[in-house]
Amino acid sequence: MNYDEVVNGRRSIRAFKQQPVPRSVLEEVIALATRAPSSMNTQPWHLHVVSGEPLDRIRAENTERMLKGVPPSKESRGIGTYEGEHRQRQVDIAVQLFQAMGIARDDKEKRQDWILRGFRQFDAPVSIVVTYDRVLKDGDIAQFDCGALVNGLVNAAWSRGLGCVVNSQGIMHSPVVREHARIPEDQVIMICVAMGYPDEGFPANAVVSRRRSVNEVAAFVGFDEA
């Protein structure tokens, strides 16, 4: 695929084939992703690539804590509550996904199952936990740099036939992730990316999120008017 095909074709994948991803392919993806720009080439990121039994333990303990009502213990700052146009976009994608999955507004059981899928990292065969160096915690640039890396990660994965979903529920209970992914204390857990070969028969995987047009997003200053 060329660059346009990757960027325009990529979508979030929320169900995966239970097919192992070769380490060699993951290394190719990561090598591409780490070409992402970072402030003054500081490259503050670390990637913890988790699969097999350790990932299953993370899934189980995340789910158990969620069902018991244990408060989240994320290390990265949350967004609070979205309002206005941001809330509307959040609602719009939820409507797209629930319509694709046939989940009615009042179907509490299916909605609960959907939430639990997130805590299980959508049963992906691989989870990549993105962290950054704790000495940079008081600033905002390291987190920005990690965002650039994650964008590179999901696009590189797509170019190799892999799907991803950026998944904050998977690190909602950071102590669980830290223990089983063996993450050092001098790193802050930022986010995780669920990754694997897409299950093309899963309806939500066909959903393409709506995007604003260039004219809605960009303001051009200093250009000749058309």
Side-chain angles (χ1 to χ4, degrees):
M1 289 186 281
N2 64 35
Y3 183 76
D4 287 10
E5 290 171 331
V6 171
V7 172
N8 289 318
R10 188 207 64 80
R11 56 192 185 274
S12 292
I13 297 300
R14 295 175 172 87
F16 302 86
K17 297 177 182 177
Q18 292 310 299
Q19 174 182 345
V21 181
R23 177 169 171 168
S24 60
V25 175
L26 293 169
E27 289 177 349
E28 288 180 15
V29 167
I30 292 168
L32 288 171
T34 55
R35 295 302 305 169
S38 63
S39 175
M40 302 182 189
N41 196 37
T42 49
Q43 304 178 55
W45 48 64
H46 303 273
L47 300 180
H48 302 267
V49 187
V50 189
S51 190
E53 187 179 347
L55 181 53
D56 288 340
R57 289 198 296 267
I58 291 172
R59 288 192 235 275
E61 291 188 34
N62 271 347
T63 302
E64 181 182 5
R65 289 191 179 204
M66 187 269 180
L67 291 172
K68 287 183 176 179
V70 176
S73 50
K74 286 175 62 179
E75 297 181 3
S76 57
R77 289 176 289 183
I79 48 79
T81 303
Y82 285 127
E83 297 179 357
E85 62 182 9
H86 305 106
R87 172 61 177 165
Q88 187 57 54
R89 291 186 199 118
Q90 181 186 26
V91 169
D92 287 347
I93 188 59
V95 169
Q96 283 184 266
L97 290 167
F98 285 176
Q99 285 180 344
M101 295 299 297
I103 301 175
R105 187 180 183 87
D106 58 352
D107 193 332
K108 294 182 179 179
E109 184 176 346
K110 285 187 177 181
R111 284 176 175 251
Q112 174 79 337
D113 178 68
W114 184 262
I115 292 170
L116 290 175
R117 289 179 61 82
F119 279 85
R120 298 197 312 267
Q121 301 193 38
F122 297 92
D123 301 320
V126 175
S127 174
I128 299 183
V129 184
V130 181
T131 70
Y132 64 91
D133 295 312
R134 191 174 294 277
V135 294
L136 303 174
K137 184 176 174 61
D138 291 339
D140 294 321
I141 298 301
Q143 297 92 321
F144 178 86
D145 291 342
C146 285
L149 174 79
V150 168
N151 181 65
L153 196 65
V154 299
N155 282 328
W158 193 261
S159 78
R160 296 300 192 270
L162 295 166
C164 300
V165 62
V166 182
N167 176 229
S168 63
Q169 290 168 310
I171 49 92
M172 198 69 76
H173 295 284
S174 291
V176 172
V177 179
R178 183 176 295 282
E179 176 187 357
H180 297 300
R182 295 182 286 187
I183 297 172
E185 291 293 336
D186 63 357
Q187 297 174 22
V188 177
I189 296 173
M190 181 73 198
I191 198 71
C192 70
V193 178
M195 183 182 294
Y197 294 103
D199 177 356
E200 299 295 354
F202 190 75
N205 284 350
V207 171
V208 178
S209 58
R210 305 184 185 100
R211 300 301 169 107
R212 292 181 288 162
S213 68
V214 172
N215 288 336
E216 292 174 295
V217 171
F220 294 90
V221 180
F223 293 82
D224 293 335
E225 297 295 333

